Structure formats: C-alpha cells, structure tokens
C-alpha cells in the first residue's frame, strides 16, 4: 500500500514561492512514479508534474514549465514541488499521487493541500 501525504501549502503573493512536500511513508520500493495534480475551484483536476522514481525523469504541464520543479529525495523518501513565480491562476488544491507501475495510472492519492496565490 502507498499513502501519500502532502504538506507545505499556504497563502502567498503573486511572484512568490512555495515548496510542497509529499511523504511517501517509506514505500518507495513499490513506487514507479509520483505526480502532482491540482484542482482549482469549479475546475477539473489537472496534471501538473510527474517524476519517475528510479530515473528521476520529469514531465511538466505547459502551464508550469519554467516555474515549477518536481524533485525527490531518496534518503527522505519524499517528493517535492518547488513553485516559483506563482500566479493567481495557480490557486488550487494540490494533490500528490503515486503509481506502482507504468500502465496503471495513479491509484494512490493524498488528501490535498491548499495553495492560494493573491494578486
């Protein structure tokens, strides 16, 4: 079982930065990739970034390229989302998700952490 737990959300001004953390609960041996998704009020949940655990390969949504960085710390068994140059449109609940294989999508989800970016 994999149970991601997010932290690090909060209220920041436009142009500011936040770093979100996702605790994998020491289940990294079973993780193929981790992803960050977000859901803004009244909108569908959208892909933000992914990282393949073993290789460190990353992918990003076009809307966050150049501003957000996903990374992992193997020693801490933690995945991060560094968010810079934040915009009001980044306001959303951010979710960490885990996949245990390449072909199964993301069946394991955290509870979400709120990120609010003020003008």
């Amino acid at each position: 079982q994999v149970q991601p737990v997010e932290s690090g959300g909060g209220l920041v001004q436009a142009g500011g930065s936040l770093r979100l953390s996702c605790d994998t609960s020491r289940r990294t041996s079973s993780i193929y990739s981790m992803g960050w998704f977000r859901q803004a009020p009244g909108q569908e949940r959208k892909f933000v970034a992914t990282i393949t655990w073993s290789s460190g390969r990353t992918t990003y949504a076009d809307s966050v390229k150049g501003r957000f960085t996903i990374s992992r710390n193997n020693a801490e068994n933690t995945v991060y989302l560094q968010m810079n140059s934040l915009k009001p449109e980044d306001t959303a609940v951010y979710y960490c998700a885990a996949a245990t294989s390449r072909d199964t999508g993301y069946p394991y989800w955290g509870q979400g952490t709120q990120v609010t970016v003020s003008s």
Side-chain angles (χ1 to χ4, degrees):
Q1 292 182 296
V2 178
Q3 181 60 63
V5 179
E6 308 95 333
S7 63
L11 174 63
V12 298
Q13 293 181 327
S17 299
L18 280 176
R19 188 179 73 163
L20 306 183
S21 299
C22 180
D23 183 3
T24 65
S25 301
R26 297 180 55 81
R27 296 290 295 176
T28 55
S29 62
S30 64
I31 295 174
Y32 172 75
S33 67
M34 300 289 296
W36 287 98
F37 298 77
R38 66 187 183 186
Q39 186 168 19
Q43 300 185 17
E44 298 177 342
R45 187 173 299 182
K46 298 179 179 179
F47 153 77
V48 175
T50 66
I51 185 166
T52 301
W53 198 260
S54 60
S55 69
R57 185 177 68 253
T58 60
T59 65
Y60 296 93
D62 289 342
S63 60
V64 305
K65 285 181 179 178
R67 300 189 299 119
F68 291 11
T69 303
I70 188 171
S71 63
R72 73 210 186 316
N73 187 308
N74 291 337
E76 297 178 354
N77 300 309
T78 303
V79 63
Y80 303 96
L81 185 67
Q82 178 67 45
M83 305 185 295
N84 298 326
S85 301
L86 283 162
K87 305 174 181 179
E89 49 264 44
D90 295 318
T91 295
V93 177
Y94 283 71
Y95 297 90
C96 179
T100 55
S101 75
R102 181 172 56 189
D103 302 320
T104 58
Y106 288 91
Y108 305 102
W109 294 82
Q111 83 289 345
T113 185
Q114 177 69 48
V115 172
T116 302
V117 184
S118 62
S119 300

